[in-house]
């Protein structure tokens, strides 16, 4: 077994539960978008997602990075076996978030008309923003409470409450509200009721795992929590390519129907990111540990193995998503085929994102926090600038180009600085295997007469994607697996068997 294989196995095991949750979240989330697009016209879908993105930005100011801070300090208090400290951190976080939610909610309510009519020239957005205010409160509280369970390393609770129950119920509530004749507001109220139940589950889970409540409890850690959470909130705001900023800027220039088409394209492409996000969650603490111990050889080996496997698994997803983008968008409705080329562009940008793996986390967890923050700031500035320049001329394709170029610039910078500051990079000759394999799959599709710009029904699409994935897996296996690759597969397989 090569150096660092035990750490790779730990990452693979830990990533499996997050991976399972990400699969549920992505599949159910995409199913929600599919049903929404089938029930409502694209203009209403656009207003829905524009309103949701405004609320998501508002959540950066109400929740900020409190969930991440609470998760960190809860974990530390558990190590110290101090029940009073555990509760003090939670109470302090509540002292912060409740006033923040009150202020943010009032702001949305007061300025909803200005946002909808004066900024976006879409008066119908006003009611959507107002109806989304309870969702803002419930989602922020749910995220905060479930971060406590993550601090206790009970990852399954968030998967159950958010990924399964919330995403499942919002589909049910959407359909029931639509049957009741609510149309556009069916999606808003469906999301709100679902996250309310998830928040209640969060309360139950917190009291289940927390130690007994001490007497004469008080906060006192608000300053400490804020000092950690504020940079996290800024980093989240600066993170480009998540669709929030792009939808908000595009909403200023484009029609509600265009926004609906673009939002669906973004949601489709986001499915391919589940592997990267799952491995990032579990790789971060290992980075910090190995860097602090100056075990750079092991860190490089892990960086290379994790990045390669993220790319190996993600590459066929993004490539086939691009190749069959016309057929994918037709599933959502004929209106959404206008977003097929946007999917191609966005998938190309995210494919490069997976090729660089957890380079950003390497910088962040190795102590280069400001460096990583600066890269995010540059990426956001580039994305905003390119969106403003390209969207008026090229529409949603212009925004997709802006997102992909900013992702490219950010990730090149991250990999370069990881090599410059830490002396590591993830690349070796093994990267040619997935590239050659996916290239052969595309050649097989072309030789068989299945072109890029053609439309297929759902049945043929499923068969083509399944056959392409099988061919890709056979080719990867035929090219050979190294020792670390086999170890990762064994640990993932054993974890899923136990689950």
């Amino acid at each position: 077994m090569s150096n660092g294989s035990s750490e790779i196995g730990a990452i693979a095991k830990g990533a499996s539960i997050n991976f399972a949750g990400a699969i549920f979240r992505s599949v159910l989330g995409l199913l929600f978008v599919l049903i929404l697009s089938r029930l409502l016209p694209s203009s209403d879908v656009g207003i829905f997602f524009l309103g949701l993105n405004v609320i998501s930005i508002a959540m950066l100011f109400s929740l900020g990075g409190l969930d991440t801070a609470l998760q960190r300090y809860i974990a530390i208090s558990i190590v110290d076996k101090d029940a009073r400290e555990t509760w003090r951190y939670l109470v302090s976080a509540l002292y912060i978030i409740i006033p923040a939610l009150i202020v943010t909610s009032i702001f949305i309510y007061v300025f909803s008309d200005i946002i909808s009519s004066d900024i976006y020239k879409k008066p119908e957005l006003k009611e959507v923003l107002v109806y989304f205010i309870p969702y803002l409160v419930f989602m922020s509280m749910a995220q905060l409470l479930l971060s406590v369970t993550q601090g206790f390393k009970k990852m399954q609770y968030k998967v159950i409450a958010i990924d399964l129950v919330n995403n499942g119920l919002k589909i049910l509530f959407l359909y029931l509200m639509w049957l009741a004749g609510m149309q556009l507001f069916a999606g808003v109220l469906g999301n709100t009721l679902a996250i309310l139940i998830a928040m209640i589950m969060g309360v139950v889970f917190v009291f289940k795992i927390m130690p007994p409540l001490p007497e004469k409890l008080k906060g006192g850690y608000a300053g400490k929590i804020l000092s950690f959470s504020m940079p996290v909130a800024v980093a989240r705001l600066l993170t480009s390519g998540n669709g929030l900023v792009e939808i908000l800027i595009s909403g200023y220039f484009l029609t509600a129907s265009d926004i609906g088409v673009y939002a669906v394209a973004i949601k489709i492409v986001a499915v391919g990111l589940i592997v990267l996000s799952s491995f990032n969650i579990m790789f971060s603490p290992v980075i910090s540990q190995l860097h602090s111990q100056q075990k750079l050889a092991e860190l490089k080996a892990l960086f290379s193995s994790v990045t390669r496997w993220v790319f190996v698994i993600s590459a066929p997803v993004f490539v086939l998503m691009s190749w069959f983008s016309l057929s994918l968008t037709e599933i959502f409705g004929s209106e959404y085929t206008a977003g097929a080329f946007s999917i191609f562009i966005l998938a190309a940008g995210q494919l490069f994102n997976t090729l660089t793996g957890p380079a950003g986390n390497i910088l962040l967890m190795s102590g280069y926090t400001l460096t990583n923050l600066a890269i995010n700031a540059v990426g956001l500035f580039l994305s905003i600038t390119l969106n403003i320049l390209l969207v008026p001329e090229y529409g949603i394709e212009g925004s997709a180009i802006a997102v992909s170029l900013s992702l490219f610039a950010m990730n090149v910078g991250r990999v370069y600085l990881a090599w410059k500051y830490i002396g590591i990079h993830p690349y070796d000759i093994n990267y040619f295997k997935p590239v050659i394999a996916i290239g052969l799959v595309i050649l097989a599709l072309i030789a068989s007469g299945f072109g890029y710009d053609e439309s297929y029904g759902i049945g043929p699409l499923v068969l083509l994607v399944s056959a392409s994935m099988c061919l890709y897996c056979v080719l990867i296996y035929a090219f050979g697996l190294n020792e670390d690759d086999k170890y990762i597969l064994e640990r993932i397989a054993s974890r899923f068997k136990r689950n």
Side-chain angles (χ1 to χ4, degrees):
M1 190 180 298
S2 67
N3 194 22
S5 287
S6 59
E7 286 85 357
I8 294 173
I11 294 170
K13 283 179 61 181
S16 62
I17 190 167
N18 293 297
F19 184 57
I23 290 175
F24 285 123
R25 181 173 63 251
S26 297
V27 172
L28 292 174
L30 196 60
L31 182 59
F32 174 84
V33 175
L34 173 60
I35 296 173
L36 188 73
S37 65
R38 284 293 189 174
L39 296 179
L40 304 178
S42 59
S43 57
D44 282 355
V45 174
I47 292 296
F48 171 83
F49 280 110
L50 186 56
L52 184 60
N53 280 24
V54 171
I55 293 299
S56 297
I57 291 293
M59 196 178 301
L60 291 175
F61 294 95
S62 60
L63 178 63
L66 288 175
D67 53 336
T68 303
L70 190 57
Q71 179 182 345
R72 179 178 188 268
Y73 290 121
I74 289 287
I76 292 173
S77 67
I78 292 170
V79 172
D80 296 337
K81 298 180 179 180
D82 192 332
R84 180 174 292 276
E85 293 292 282
T86 304
W87 277 102
R88 287 186 70 185
Y89 282 121
L90 175 55
V91 171
S92 297
L94 290 173
Y95 283 165
I96 298 170
I97 196 172
I98 291 174
L101 283 171
I102 293 173
V103 172
T104 308
S105 299
I106 293 173
F107 180 89
I108 293 294
Y109 182 81
V110 171
F111 291 98
S112 58
D113 187 52
I114 294 175
I115 295 171
S116 58
S117 299
D118 296 343
I119 297 177
Y120 286 109
K121 312 299 182 185
K122 298 174 177 63
E124 63 272 30
L125 178 61
K126 178 181 178 179
E127 280 191 282
V128 172
L129 291 176
V130 172
Y131 275 85
F132 257 134
I133 290 174
Y135 172 85
L136 166 68
V137 175
F138 300 150
M139 175 59 87
S140 298
M141 291 299 298
Q143 294 286 0
L144 184 73
L145 292 168
L146 289 167
S147 70
V148 175
T149 67
Q150 291 178 298
F152 277 87
K153 296 183 174 61
K154 302 293 184 181
M155 308 299 293
Q156 68 271 24
Y157 290 139
K158 188 170 185 179
V159 170
I160 293 170
I162 298 294
D163 299 334
L164 282 174
V165 173
N166 173 59
N167 284 294
L169 285 180
K170 72 181 183 181
I171 296 172
L172 174 62
F173 291 143
L174 163 67
Y175 188 66
L176 292 176
M177 298 294 177
W178 180 80
L179 288 177
M182 292 188 179
Q183 297 299 315
L184 172 58
F185 295 100
V188 179
L189 295 177
N191 271 264
T192 302
L193 290 175
I195 196 60
L196 170 61
I197 293 173
M199 184 194 74
I200 294 171
M201 293 179 68
V203 174
V204 174
F205 290 149
V206 165
F207 278 97
K208 179 179 179 181
I209 63 175
M210 286 284 278
L213 185 65
E215 295 181 3
K216 298 180 181 179
L217 184 66
K218 61 180 181 179
Y221 288 143
K224 187 176 183 180
I225 290 175
L226 281 173
S227 65
F228 184 89
S229 65
M230 291 301 290
V232 175
V234 173
R236 287 177 176 175
L237 181 62
L238 295 178
T239 300
S240 182
N242 57 13
L244 287 179
V245 173
E246 291 74 24
I247 290 290
L248 292 177
I249 296 176
S250 298
Y252 179 81
F253 295 105
L254 304 177
T255 66
S257 293
D258 290 333
I259 297 303
V261 170
Y262 189 38
V264 168
I266 289 175
K267 295 298 181 181
I268 291 173
V269 175
V271 173
L273 292 172
I274 59 177
V275 179
L276 177 60
S277 61
S278 299
F279 272 90
N280 270 344
I281 290 172
M282 299 310 300
F283 190 35
S284 296
V286 179
I287 298 170
S288 182
Q289 179 184 8
L290 293 178
H291 184 266
S292 65
Q293 297 171 347
Q294 288 299 299
K295 295 181 178 179
L296 297 185
E298 289 187 36
L299 183 57
K300 183 183 186 304
L302 285 168
F303 188 18
S304 179
S305 294
V306 169
T307 304
R308 185 173 68 254
W309 266 96
V310 167
F311 183 68
V312 165
I313 300 173
S314 302
V317 176
F318 286 119
V319 171
L320 294 175
M321 183 186 293
S322 302
W323 197 259
F324 297 114
S325 57
L326 185 60
S327 297
L328 282 173
T329 52
E330 278 187 335
I331 297 173
F332 292 81
S334 59
E335 296 175 279
Y336 297 94
T337 57
F341 192 55
S342 295
I343 291 177
F344 185 94
I345 299 169
L346 290 168
Q350 294 296 352
L351 180 62
F352 187 81
N353 188 20
T354 61
L355 181 61
T356 60
N361 278 12
I362 286 284
L363 290 171
L364 183 64
M365 302 306 293
S366 297
Y368 296 96
T369 309
L370 293 179
T371 300
N372 191 59
L373 200 64
I375 292 174
N376 287 341
V378 170
L380 180 63
F381 174 78
L382 185 60
S383 180
I384 291 174
T385 303
L386 290 175
N387 266 281
I388 293 173
L389 293 174
L390 297 176
V391 170
E393 182 70 22
Y394 301 104
I396 60 175
E397 287 84 4
S399 181
I401 293 171
V403 172
S404 295
L405 288 178
S406 62
L407 279 173
F408 178 83
M410 289 168 63
N411 284 301
V412 167
R414 286 166 177 161
V415 171
Y416 170 73
L417 292 175
W419 173 75
K420 179 181 178 181
Y421 292 148
I422 310 172
I424 62 174
H425 66 79
Y427 306 113
D428 56 39
I429 197 170
N430 288 307
Y431 274 84
F432 286 105
K433 296 177 183 178
V435 173
I436 294 172
I438 198 64
L440 291 174
V441 170
I442 294 300
L443 288 176
L445 286 170
I446 295 173
S448 302
F450 300 107
Y452 156 70
D453 57 348
E454 296 183 26
S455 175
Y456 310 97
I458 296 179
L461 178 63
V462 172
L463 290 175
L464 285 169
V465 171
S466 300
S468 300
M469 291 297 293
C470 288
L471 176 58
Y472 176 79
C473 292
V474 169
L475 290 170
I476 289 292
Y477 185 79
F479 290 155
L481 302 174
N482 62 30
E483 190 176 356
D484 286 343
D485 294 337
K486 294 176 182 177
Y487 194 67
I488 285 179
L489 288 177
E490 290 172 1
R491 297 305 288 269
I492 292 176
S494 65
R495 178 74 180 194
F496 275 113
K497 286 178 182 177
R498 285 200 299 272
N499 289 340

